[in-house]
Amino acid sequence: MELTINGKSHPVPPLWQEESLLFFIREQLGLTGTKFGCGAGLCGACTVLLDGQAQRSCVLPVAQASGHEIRTIEGLAEPSGKLHPVQQAWITEAVPQCGYCQAGQIMSTVALLSEHRQPTQEQIDAALAGNLCRCGTQKRIRAAVTRAAGVQS
Ligand code: FES
Ligand code: FES
């Protein structure tokens, strides 16, 4: 079994095939930008893209991720180092506080903007409802989403 993550193929040793995608990404590949929060699909900290859709990696077994294109926060920037417009908007709006939830927030936003280039407030609320932030950055997140949508249009 192999997983395609950020454009690269990774063999999955047999012992890892029943693990969650989150643990494989973090522990086996060392891609620690994707965070462990609740481990139960409730907080969004572990959000990655699966074929472009936001996916909670803590509740997805590795075996079910095989055959899909997986993208993590480490795979958003271009090879040149140029940041993704959503990452740049996050910096411009100085969104994070502790930062723990932010990779998940950014990945959910990338998925949202790939589906809706100019999302309504309702679409933003729906896309980010499952991404919790204990630091209260929601207002700046909304500003960054709006900014990124403008850049991408
Ligand atoms: S760690 Fe996956 S949703 Fe909370
Ligand atoms: S920035 Fe701290 S949890 Fe969101």
Side-chain angles (χ1 to χ4, degrees):
M1 184 186 296
E2 293 194 335
L3 287 188
T4 306
I5 300 176
N6 299 331
K8 289 186 187 164
S9 237
H10 299 274
V12 182
L15 281 176
W16 281 93
Q17 293 180 8
E18 301 303 318
E19 282 291 349
S20 70
L21 176 61
L22 174 62
F23 282 144
F24 183 79
I25 288 170
R26 287 182 56 85
E27 306 297 330
Q28 181 72 354
L29 301 185
L31 298 174
T32 54
T34 306
K35 303 302 187 202
F36 176 93
C38 63
L42 301 172
C43 75
C46 65
T47 304
V48 299
L49 300 185
L50 191 80
D51 298 331
Q53 302 288 309
Q55 169 68 49
R56 306 292 190 250
S57 61
C58 69
V59 291
L60 186 71
V62 165
Q64 288 184 32
S66 182
H68 298 276
E69 292 285 335
I70 299 152
R71 206 167 173 201
T72 71
I73 189 79
E74 290 88 350
L76 277 192
E78 295 176 11
S80 66
K82 184 169 186 273
L83 294 178
H84 187 282
V86 173
Q87 292 174 301
Q88 191 56 59
W90 244 247
I91 291 171
T92 303
E93 296 292 341
V95 174
Q97 286 194 29
C98 81
Y100 202 83
C101 72
Q102 298 294 330
Q105 306 273 11
I106 287 171
M107 300 312 279
S108 289
T109 300
V110 171
L112 167 69
L113 295 182
S114 69
E115 191 172 354
H116 303 288
R117 290 177 67 86
Q118 298 287 323
T120 63
Q121 280 304 313
E122 289 73 24
Q123 288 168 333
I124 295 172
D125 288 344
L128 297 178
N131 288 86
L132 307 184
C133 176
R134 65 185 175 184
C135 298
T137 66
Q138 287 86 354
K139 192 172 174 191
R140 293 201 298 278
I141 288 170
R142 297 304 189 274
V145 173
T146 303
R147 178 180 288 277
V151 169
Q152 291 201 156
S153 63

